[in-house]
Amino acid sequence: MYNVFLYDGTFDGLLTCIDEILSTHINEDEVVIAEKDKYQPMLFDNPVYVALDKNRSQELRQKVINASGKVTFKKIYYCFLSEAQNKETYIYKYIKLVLKHGKKVKYLYHDDVVNFVEKASKNVSREIGKYMGLMRFNEIEGGVLYAQFEPTNDILVPISYFFRERLKSFKWIIHDKKRSKLSIYDTRMIKFLNGMNLNASFSDNENLYQKLWKLYFKTMAIEERKNLKLQRQNMPKKYWKYLIEKN
């Protein structure tokens, strides 16, 4: 029988849940962690919901940072943002290793838990890096900049904080259409909204700009030097959907 611990789906909620498990000293092989809204009860499971406690999550965060540094904690966060199966349980086991081995955890090359977190974290980091360069903002009515994307991983938060620094003087919206989530920036602060879809209309200036950009892209392209295979290697097709020059 597994001890199933449920959390609210947030990163702080997961840390609270892990802190609760660590305090019980249950055998880690008997632990399963799942998001409350996605959990499907199984026969003989013993589900327990652990409510978010910001103080407990902050305390565990600091313990991990003290033991192994901010880079290690960032890997944990990025793993959480991934779509990897059973990521919560692996993060719990990884945190146990961090608290036991400290900075030496990165040398546990053959540990399945360490490899899982490293792989998931790198996958998220690569996708964030891609969208830092490929995100396209369009002007919608009211002069607000609007970008839409459908990332594999749940990277809206780190992407939004990146563009807060790059576009700090503009009002903008970033829309994760795959998850129906928005971030809205008003030149002062970012607000995140879930369960939201937006049908935005481009401004007249934006429509003109897109026509000019497509014309420029077509004019500058050298037909004899086209290499679609190399293009797809450097920029997989999943990134093309919201690129003006590819539509």
Side-chain angles (χ1 to χ4, degrees), residues 155-164 172 174 183 190 192:
I155 60 173
L156 180 63
V157 171
I159 279 291
S160 298
Y161 282 111
F162 171 77
F163 282 106
R164 182 185 66 176
W172 49 254
I174 299 177
S183 62
I190 302 174
F192 296 95

Side-chain angles (χ1 to χ4, degrees), residues 18 28-29 31 33 72 75-76 79-80 82 84-101 104-122:
I18 291 172
E28 68 175 33
D29 293 327
V31 170
I33 305 175
T72 297
K75 288 179 183 178
I76 294 169
C79 182
F80 172 76
S82 76
Q85 292 292 315
N86 302 317
K87 62 186 179 183
E88 294 92 347
T89 306
Y90 276 97
I91 288 173
Y92 153 64
K93 292 180 179 180
Y94 184 77
I95 287 178
K96 278 192 72 175
L97 289 173
V98 169
L99 296 178
K100 180 179 179 180
H101 298 284
K104 294 179 181 179
V105 71
K106 62 183 178 182
Y107 300 118
L108 303 178
Y109 305 116
H110 302 297
D111 190 289
D112 291 342
V113 171
V114 174
N115 287 330
F116 179 96
V117 172
E118 289 280 351
K119 182 178 178 180
S121 172
K122 287 178 181 177

Side-chain angles (χ1 to χ4, degrees), residues 14-22 33 60 88 91-92 95:
L14 175 60
L15 292 182
T16 304
C17 189
I18 291 172
D19 188 62
E20 175 65 22
I21 299 168
L22 291 173
I33 305 175
L60 183 57
E88 294 92 347
I91 288 173
Y92 153 64
I95 287 178

